[in-house]
Amino acid sequence: MGSLDSNFSVNSTEFKPLDPEEFRKQAHTMVDFIADYYKNIETYPVLSQAQPGYLRACLPETAPYRPETFETILQDVEKSIIPGITHWLSPKFFAFFPATVSTAAFLGEMLCTCFNSVGFNWLASPAATELEMVVMDWLAHMLKLPKSFMFQGTGGGVIQGTTSDSILCTLVAARNRALENVGVDNIGKLVVYGSDQTHSTYTKACKLAGIYPRNIRSVPAGSDTCFAMSPVALRKVIDADLAAGLVPLYLCVTVGTTSTTAVDPLEDLADVANDYGVWVHVDAAYGGSACICPEFRHYLDGIELVDSLSLSPHKWLLSYLDCCCLWVKQPGLLVKALSTNPEYLRNKPSESDSVVDYKDWQVGTGRRFKALRLWLVLRSYGIANLQSHIRSDVRMAKMFEGFVKSDPRFELVVPRIFSLVCFRLNPHPGSYPGYLELLNKKLLEWVNSTGGLYMTHTVAGGLYMLRFAVGATLTEECHVVAAWKLIKEGADVLLRSKDAT
């Protein structure tokens, strides 16, 4: 059988990857580290000041052969990792959309990681499947969705990773349903629709689903509709496709676009789509969470006319990334398009059709016990506190909006709907557009370079604008006030500079 390598030696200490007492000790240390990070997060520049390739220069070229102490590793996190982090949880983070967190969600994530359940089907972890079904119906009730989207009715919901996953899964279901009627050879005739404000992930999902790039329609949405999609324009585009012998397949309606949080007129667009048998999906990744508040619920009016809806609690309902909730009216279409049934996964409950196997509601097979996070959030805070959290963010955005209006050098570019304010520096109305774009680019660069806050920009209708998104869990009014003070300081510096002329 040969002999052992003479250089091989057996460590006298038994290797235990998971020792409960050692875990207890290190976990306490880690919790203290994390709590201190949250407590001191304001001391870090919001936007990482690291340069490309910085980390490779800090770390060894190869992994250690012998184990290193936990304390040493945490020291390197502090010294090497944190400087390369853009701090999404900072109360001075006003970029993109927020990635909200909470104590309850963190504890739920700890439980999820603890159990490490791989709940691809019901039998693999009954509690993982059934808790997800319960939580999805709970949230559906909070949104006042019709029972056609609930397990209590004829539909159902699933927790996906992100909006991209939700769009891809529903798009594949819609595609397969259509191909049963027109034949698989006609996949090149399938056409999908969105506006030019629909998230870029939509185009990616369409390509992954086999939609020809030339058949991905982007309906222009201009300032005259506050960048919402026009039902009249949509109908014209669909009629033109029908006249060309094409097959209208899928419409993506957005409640809270990424650029400006525009809200497409859901009911009117669904009426148009339903005239042609088009699958209607509502992407409410950001704005949908606000609809648990009665004053925002009207943005989902007409939801009974659509086929699917998704929103992301990790954006505004205090649940860590990743957590995207997808509801469908006809789960059977999703299962038919995505199901797999190898011999090694066959079991009596699944074959009895009396249970849900979530592997057939998603792209992959393996899945985590994500419902624990959402369950702990809903139970720990209740609907009232979640509504209060959303209203607080909207109130702070209104305050910032008021600051912008009070300074004649600035202007609002689009009406504020939720907690995003789109504005720009425009000290001389009527200025050349190129000058205004350059001026605001310089302002954004100046503000972000200070590390005192982080904003992003967008372009809609040809207009370059700055986005101030309120919603980080730790943000308070004082941070919004300080952010506006810094923005005004940047404007002062630029307008005094010769470079601004």
Side-chain angles (χ1 to χ4, degrees):
M1 297 293 294
S3 60
L4 291 173
D5 189 317
S6 59
N7 292 324
F8 179 84
S9 61
V10 179
N11 195 322
S12 58
T13 303
E14 183 183 359
F15 173 50
K16 294 182 178 180
L18 181 58
D19 177 84
E21 292 310 313
E22 185 63 23
F23 168 78
R24 189 191 311 277
K25 174 185 172 184
Q26 293 189 8
H28 277 292
T29 301
M30 181 63 84
V31 167
D32 286 341
F33 182 91
I34 293 170
D36 287 340
Y37 169 72
Y38 287 159
K39 183 178 180 179
N40 300 315
I41 194 169
E42 288 189 62
T43 64
Y44 301 111
V46 189
L47 181 63
S48 172
Q49 306 298 301
Q51 298 300 310
Y54 91 97
L55 191 56
R56 184 173 290 276
C58 296
L59 301 179
E61 292 186 2
T62 60
Y65 183 72
R66 298 293 183 188
E68 298 183 77
T69 66
F70 187 59
E71 290 72 23
T72 299
I73 297 169
L74 278 186
Q75 288 172 7
D76 281 347
V77 172
E78 183 72 50
K79 181 179 69 175
S80 302
I81 302 300
I82 287 182
I85 291 177
T86 290
H87 300 279
W88 283 67
L89 305 188
S90 170
K92 299 180 287 187
F93 184 96
F94 301 102
F96 306 109
F97 283 131
T100 57
V101 298
S102 63
T103 300
F106 198 105
L107 298 178
E109 178 66 15
M110 289 174 71
L111 276 178
C112 173
T113 303
C114 160
F115 297 133
N116 201 33
S117 294
V118 188
F120 44 77
N121 61 19
W122 180 89
L123 191 62
S125 190
T129 296
E130 297 198 9
L131 184 63
E132 188 160 334
M133 295 169 69
V134 169
V135 166
M136 290 300 294
D137 273 7
W138 279 9
L139 190 49
H141 277 293
M142 291 166 61
L143 294 165
K144 293 182 169 55
L145 299 184
K147 283 199 171 182
S148 55
F149 283 106
M150 302 183 197
F151 288 107
Q152 293 176 357
T154 55
V158 56
I159 299 177
Q160 302 279 2
T162 64
T163 301
S164 310
D165 301 319
S166 294
I167 290 176
L168 179 58
C169 289
T170 53
L171 187 56
V172 168
R175 179 201 67 190
N176 283 19
R177 181 180 67 175
L179 291 178
E180 286 183 356
N181 295 325
V182 302
V184 293
D185 293 338
N186 287 311
I187 191 172
K189 293 183 177 181
L190 301 181
V191 187
V192 298
Y193 306 88
S195 83
D196 59 5
Q197 299 300 305
T198 304
H199 197 282
S200 59
T201 192
Y202 180 55
T203 298
K204 180 188 290 189
C206 291
K207 292 177 180 178
L208 289 171
I211 305 300
Y212 288 19
R214 66 171 181 265
N215 288 348
I216 302 173
R217 301 286 179 261
S218 182
V219 180
S223 57
D224 57 325
T225 62
C226 294
F227 302 108
M229 194 189 320
S230 163
V232 174
L234 174 65
R235 189 179 292 276
K236 288 181 180 178
V237 174
I238 293 178
D239 283 342
D241 286 332
L242 283 171
L246 300 175
V247 180
L249 173 69
Y250 187 100
L251 168 67
C252 186
V253 177
T254 307
V255 176
T257 60
T258 301
S259 283
T260 65
T261 64
V263 176
D264 292 335
L266 192 162
E267 189 166 12
D268 293 340
L269 290 168
D271 281 336
V272 173
N274 288 342
D275 287 344
Y276 303 94
V278 170
W279 182 297
V280 183
H281 176 74
V282 176
D283 169 11
Y286 168 71
S289 294
C291 295
I292 68 170
C293 300
E295 63 267 32
F296 293 113
R297 175 56 179 76
H298 65 279
Y299 291 122
L300 290 182
D301 285 355
I303 195 68
E304 69 279 359
L305 302 174
V306 313
D307 298 278
S308 53
L309 161 71
S310 63
L311 65 84
S312 299
H314 60 243
K315 290 186 183 294
W316 215 353
L317 287 181
L318 304 177
S319 178
Y320 281 78
L321 191 75
D322 52 359
C323 180
C324 178
C325 295
L326 168 67
W327 292 270
V328 289
K329 266 186 179 176
Q330 300 183 66
L333 294 176
L334 211 59
V335 172
K336 188 174 183 180
L338 300 172
S339 67
T340 56
N341 195 27
E343 184 61 37
Y344 51 80
L345 293 183
R346 291 182 182 273
N347 61 84
K348 287 184 178 180
S350 295
E351 292 175 358
S352 71
D353 290 327
S354 61
V355 298
V356 167
D357 288 341
Y358 272 128
K359 69 179 178 59
D360 299 329
W361 293 52
Q362 63 179 29
V363 172
T365 299
R367 62 194 331 270
R368 302 177 70 230
F369 199 166
K370 294 180 183 178
L372 277 169
R373 274 184 309 195
L374 206 47
W375 187 55
L376 261 72
V377 167
L378 296 179
R379 293 193 63 187
S380 299
Y381 304 135
I383 298 171
N385 276 324
L386 293 174
Q387 290 173 334
S388 177
H389 166 70
I390 288 169
R391 287 168 178 152
S392 174
D393 288 345
V394 173
R395 184 170 59 252
M396 287 189 283
K398 283 182 178 179
M399 183 175 70
F400 184 84
E401 181 183 36
F403 293 155
V404 174
K405 289 179 178 179
S406 69
D407 191 324
R409 301 174 301 172
F410 290 86
E411 65 180 359
L412 298 171
V413 183
V414 295
R416 181 199 52 77
I417 298 178
F418 301 110
S419 65
L420 171 72
V421 179
C422 294
F423 71 107
R424 66 177 179 175
L425 177 61
N426 186 5
H428 309 294
S431 296
Y432 177 62
Y435 161 76
L436 290 179
E437 180 171 336
L438 179 61
L439 183 64
N440 281 275
K441 282 182 177 179
K442 288 184 176 181
L443 176 59
L444 183 65
E445 183 179 359
W446 186 94
V447 168
N448 287 341
S449 69
T450 68
L453 67 88
Y454 181 32
M455 292 190 304
T456 49
H457 78 282
T458 192
V459 175
L463 297 176
Y464 182 97
M465 64 191 84
L466 306 180
R467 299 172 71 261
F468 189 86
V470 180
T473 306
L474 299 173
T475 299
E476 299 176 358
E477 287 189 3
C478 61
H479 300 108
V480 176
V481 171
W484 174 243
K485 182 179 179 181
L486 189 60
I487 292 167
K488 287 204 303 179
E489 181 184 344
D492 292 339
V493 170
L494 287 175
L495 294 177
R496 285 197 302 264
S497 169
K498 293 181 180 180
D499 292 338
T501 60

